[in-house]
């Protein structure tokens, strides 16, 4: 007691007050530290920020609290994004996470929001990747995508899924080999490959023969049997959904918009169909050409057509190619797709007039060559459809532009006619496509000038040396 009283007398009243305040602050810091260390155990209490300050004269301790609003859960933040993009020139696309319900045979999809603000947004989506082509899109089901609040009248889930869904159509130009790949399979690969099979395909305008044709590809992309959503009476519910497919380039992938490229796609196909050849034959640069070709003949596959854009002198072309050291095959490639894939993969050079048969270049081994015979008026479409995609696939490309004398159109029109004299060199609008197609694609056959064409085959051989 004696020492206590002496200690108390040694400080002024003001100093004692400051000492008391300091002790209080020290205790408060200790308490705050305790709360921080053990905050998992007190997580149900209100979150506050405490400010400690000395105010006035004499200084008075002031403690204030600021209530911090909890951050929105992740799924609520996701819902604030615009769920449908209808501005892309090639395809409309909706991507949603949360509570998604699809009432199949009503063609309606509900995205249920739990935000305080009631939503009433809706979009009309045709899930096929050829936007702007009315002829293709008119046959595709129009899906109504509605963003609704949970308080509104919405259908009750009757079947729940734990994997994401992708909704797409097999209508449009599906059935044409080129469009099967450009409009459906390549976009489907871009959309679903990252999910490693954990995805449910919902198909509108389902065509069983199409599913059968591409069964191997669909089974590699999804572990689950595709659902014909048009026949569904149940309300199917998913944690996330993509409506439409990611498409950004004709018969290829725009790498500025995708994490994949066309080499990823062709390697995926080769793995799917168990194709053995990874690279085309490599001819030695300094070896005797005749001796080398006898021992290791490069293989040339000529795609024949039976109705339009036919070769009218196919025997002459085969004779020329054989005389130059090629082992030649002539096919129309209309058989089972797995057989086509294996056959094409066994060749080093693929040749054909512009048309769907050249789509099978996806099965060629890398560093193989593609020779596209470019008919009159086909320059722009040949470049977009096959020249650029071939290079995207790490293939060598050669274009052989025919002369007027090699086109059968010379037998149908006088030399001064605009069809021969001024064929279209730029892209045709959708409105002008029908008349363009009738003349240049449906009425034109090709008779190759073998003397002139010899130089193209020599270039093909040189490319196999590089």
């Amino acid at each position: 007691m004696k020492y206590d009283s002496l200690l108390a007398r040694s400080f002024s009243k003001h100093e004692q007050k400051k000492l008391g305040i300091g002790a209080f602050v020290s205790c408060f810091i200790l308490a705050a530290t305790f709360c921080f260390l053990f905050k998992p155990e007190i997580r149900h209490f209100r979150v506050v920020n405490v400010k400690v300050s000395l105010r006035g004269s004499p200084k008075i301790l002031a403690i204030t609290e600021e209530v911090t609003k909890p951050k929105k859960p992740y799924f609520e933040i996701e819902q604030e994004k615009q769920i449908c993009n209808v501005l892309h020139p090639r395809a409309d696309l909706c991507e949603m996470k949360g509570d998604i319900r699809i009432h199949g045979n009503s063609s309606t999809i509900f995205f249920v929001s739990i935000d305080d603000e009631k939503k009433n947004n809706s979009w009309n989506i045709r899930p096929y990747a050829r936007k702007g082509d009315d002829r293709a899109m008119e046959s595709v089901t129009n899906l109504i995508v509605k963003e609704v609040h949970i308080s509104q009248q919405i259908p009750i889930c009757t079947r729940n899924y734990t994997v994401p869904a992708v909704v797409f159509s097999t209508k449009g130009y599906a059935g044409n080999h080129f469009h099967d790949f450009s409009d459906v399979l390549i976009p489907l690969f871009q959309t679903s490959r990252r999910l490693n099979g954990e995805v449910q395909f919902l198909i509108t305008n389902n065509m069983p023969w199409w599913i059968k044709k591409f069964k191997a590809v669909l089974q590699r992309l999804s572990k689950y049997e595709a659902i014909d959503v048009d026949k569904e009476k149940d309300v199917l519910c998913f944690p996330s959904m993509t409506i439409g497919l990611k498409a950004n380039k004709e018969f290829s992938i725009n790498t500025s918009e995708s994490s994949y490229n066309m080499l990823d796609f062709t390697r995926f196909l080769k793995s799917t169909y168990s194709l053995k050849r990874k690279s085309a034959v490599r001819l030695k640069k300094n070896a005797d050409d005749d001796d080398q070709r006898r021992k290791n003949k490069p293989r040339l596959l000529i795609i024949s057509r039976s109705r339009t854009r036919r070769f009218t002198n196919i025997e002459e072309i085969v004779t020329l190619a054989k005389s130059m050291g090629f082992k030649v095959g002539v096919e129309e490639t209309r058989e089972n797709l797995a057989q086509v894939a294996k056959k094409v993969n066994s060749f080093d050079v693929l040749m054909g007039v512009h048309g769907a048969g050249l789509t099978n270049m996806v099965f060629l081994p890398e560093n193989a060559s593609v020779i596209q015979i470019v008919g009159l008026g086909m320059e722009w479409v040949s470049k977009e459809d096959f020249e650029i995609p071939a290079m995207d696939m790490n293939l060598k490309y050669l274009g052989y532009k025919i002369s007027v004398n090699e086109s059968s159109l010379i037998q149908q029109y006088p030399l001064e006619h605009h069809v021969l004299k001024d064929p279209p060199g730029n892209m045709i609008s959708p409105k002008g496509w029908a008349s363009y197609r009738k003349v240049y694609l449906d009425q034109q056959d090709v008779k190759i000038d073998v003397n002139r064409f010899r130089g193209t085959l020599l270039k093909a051989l040189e490319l196999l040396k590089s």
Side-chain angles (χ1 to χ4, degrees):
M1 291 294 293
K2 181 178 180 181
Y3 293 105
D4 289 345
S5 59
L6 285 171
L7 184 64
R9 284 197 301 270
S10 65
F11 293 98
S12 66
K13 284 187 177 183
H14 180 64
E15 289 172 325
Q16 289 178 34
K17 191 178 223 181
K18 287 175 69 177
L19 186 62
I21 291 171
F24 181 86
V25 171
S26 298
C27 291
F28 179 81
I29 291 171
L30 285 171
T33 303
F34 176 85
C35 291
F36 175 78
L37 291 173
F38 296 96
K39 68 179 179 181
E41 302 305 321
I42 56 171
R43 60 184 175 273
H44 299 296
F45 290 98
R46 182 172 56 173
V47 178
V48 298
N49 289 329
V50 178
K51 288 186 176 181
V52 180
S53 60
L54 294 173
R55 295 179 180 171
S57 181
K59 299 293 184 184
I60 299 173
L61 180 68
I63 301 176
T64 60
E65 78 173 33
E66 295 179 349
V67 178
T68 303
K69 286 187 176 181
K71 291 182 179 179
K72 284 189 175 183
Y74 174 76
F75 64 86
E76 289 189 41
I77 295 171
E78 286 292 316
Q79 287 184 359
E80 291 174 0
K81 295 179 180 178
Q82 185 75 304
I83 63 175
C84 292
N85 177 9
V86 295
L87 300 179
H88 197 282
R90 189 165 175 88
D92 291 337
L93 189 76
C94 300
E95 295 181 283
M96 303 172 287
K97 288 183 180 180
D99 182 352
I100 302 107
R101 311 179 188 192
I102 179 166
H103 194 198
N105 59 11
S106 73
S107 302
T108 306
I109 299 168
F110 298 90
F111 177 48
V112 184
S113 170
I114 59 173
D115 284 352
D116 294 336
E117 180 186 351
K118 290 190 177 181
K119 303 290 179 71
N120 194 27
N121 299 320
S122 66
W123 297 265
N124 291 298
I125 304 294
R126 295 181 187 269
Y128 182 75
R130 195 151 285 270
K131 183 179 174 181
D133 188 328
D134 294 340
R135 184 164 167 259
M137 301 302 286
E138 65 184 2
S139 62
V140 179
T141 297
N142 180 57
L143 299 175
I144 302 170
V145 181
K146 293 184 175 182
E147 188 176 12
V148 297
H149 192 264
I150 196 167
S151 63
Q152 295 173 260
Q153 187 174 359
I154 48 178
I156 298 172
C157 297
T158 54
R159 289 210 325 255
N160 289 282
Y161 293 81
T162 58
V163 297
V166 173
V167 185
F168 64 96
S169 171
T170 55
K171 203 65 173 176
Y173 293 138
N176 173 289
H177 198 51
F178 174 79
H179 289 286
D180 287 336
F181 280 85
S182 189
D183 301 352
V184 184
L185 294 178
I186 295 173
L188 185 61
F189 171 83
Q190 289 191 75
T191 307
S192 63
R193 182 58 174 160
R194 64 183 176 81
L195 298 170
N196 295 315
E198 292 297 331
V199 57
Q200 176 66 63
F201 292 151
L202 305 178
I203 302 179
T204 183
N205 312 121
N206 181 46
M207 295 185 286
W209 60 265
W210 193 94
I211 301 298
K212 183 179 179 181
K213 179 180 179 181
F214 297 106
K215 184 178 180 180
V217 177
L218 297 174
Q219 287 181 336
R220 275 295 305 281
L221 290 173
S222 172
K223 297 176 182 177
Y224 310 98
E225 186 176 350
I227 295 174
D228 184 345
V229 74
D230 297 336
K231 294 181 179 179
E232 280 295 334
K233 295 180 180 178
D234 284 338
V235 177
L236 314 183
C237 296
F238 295 88
S240 65
M241 181 179 289
T242 302
I243 304 162
L245 300 176
K246 296 178 180 179
N248 42 51
K249 194 174 183 179
E250 190 76 288
F251 191 39
S252 190
I253 296 173
N254 183 346
T255 54
S256 69
E257 296 183 25
S258 176
S259 57
Y260 296 102
N261 58 45
M262 275 304 284
L263 264 181
D264 294 325
F265 178 71
T266 55
R267 287 170 180 169
F268 163 80
L269 284 180
K270 289 164 191 172
S271 172
T272 298
Y273 289 103
S274 302
L275 305 184
K276 295 179 180 179
R277 295 185 76 216
K278 305 301 180 186
S279 298
V281 67
R282 194 73 173 265
L283 302 178
K284 294 180 180 178
K285 289 185 178 182
N286 300 320
D288 178 79
D289 287 348
D290 292 333
D291 182 59
Q292 182 174 195
R293 289 172 202 154
R294 279 194 298 270
K295 293 179 180 178
N296 194 17
K297 281 190 174 185
R299 292 168 58 84
L300 167 67
L301 176 60
I302 301 174
I303 303 294
S304 65
R305 296 174 61 91
S306 59
R307 293 192 290 270
T308 61
R309 283 161 275 158
R310 298 171 300 166
F311 288 116
T312 59
N313 63 332
I314 191 73
E315 296 83 2
E316 289 183 74
I317 300 169
V318 170
T319 300
L320 171 66
K322 286 182 176 179
S323 71
M324 297 178 68
F326 285 101
K327 185 174 182 180
V328 183
V330 180
E331 299 286 344
E332 197 167 347
T333 62
R334 286 183 175 274
E335 58 211 81
N336 174 277
L337 189 60
Q339 294 174 335
V340 170
K342 285 179 171 58
K343 182 168 290 182
V344 172
N345 184 251
S346 69
F347 285 85
D348 306 294
V349 182
L350 181 70
M351 167 186 163
V353 181
H354 171 84
L358 287 175
T359 306
N360 292 307
M361 67 171 71
V362 294
F363 303 119
L364 283 172
E366 290 179 31
N367 296 310
S369 294
V370 175
I371 302 174
Q372 180 174 204
I373 308 301
V374 182
L376 289 186
M378 298 183 194
E379 289 89 345
W380 66 271
V381 72
S382 295
K383 182 174 183 177
E384 291 294 318
D385 290 358
F386 297 114
E387 179 181 345
I388 295 172
M391 293 186 285
D392 289 346
M393 297 177 205
N394 198 27
L395 301 173
K396 310 293 176 60
Y397 176 83
L398 292 168
Y400 178 81
K401 185 179 176 182
I402 69 169
S403 65
V404 172
N405 292 328
E406 292 171 282
S407 171
S408 65
L409 293 176
I410 198 172
Q411 300 165 14
Q412 304 170 49
Y413 298 93
L415 276 174
E416 295 302 313
H417 197 283
H418 70 88
V419 166
L420 300 177
K421 195 173 181 180
D422 190 28
N426 298 316
M427 182 176 291
I428 304 296
S429 68
K431 290 183 179 179
W433 178 258
S435 57
Y436 165 80
R437 180 186 179 91
K438 182 179 179 181
V439 174
Y440 293 100
L441 300 184
D442 294 345
Q443 295 180 1
Q444 185 172 195
D445 292 328
V446 174
K447 184 178 181 179
I448 293 291
D449 180 337
V450 291
N451 292 322
R452 182 169 175 256
F453 185 61
R454 183 182 183 86
T456 300
L457 289 182
L458 282 172
K459 288 179 184 177
L461 288 171
E462 286 300 314
L463 288 174
L464 292 174
K465 295 178 182 180
S466 59

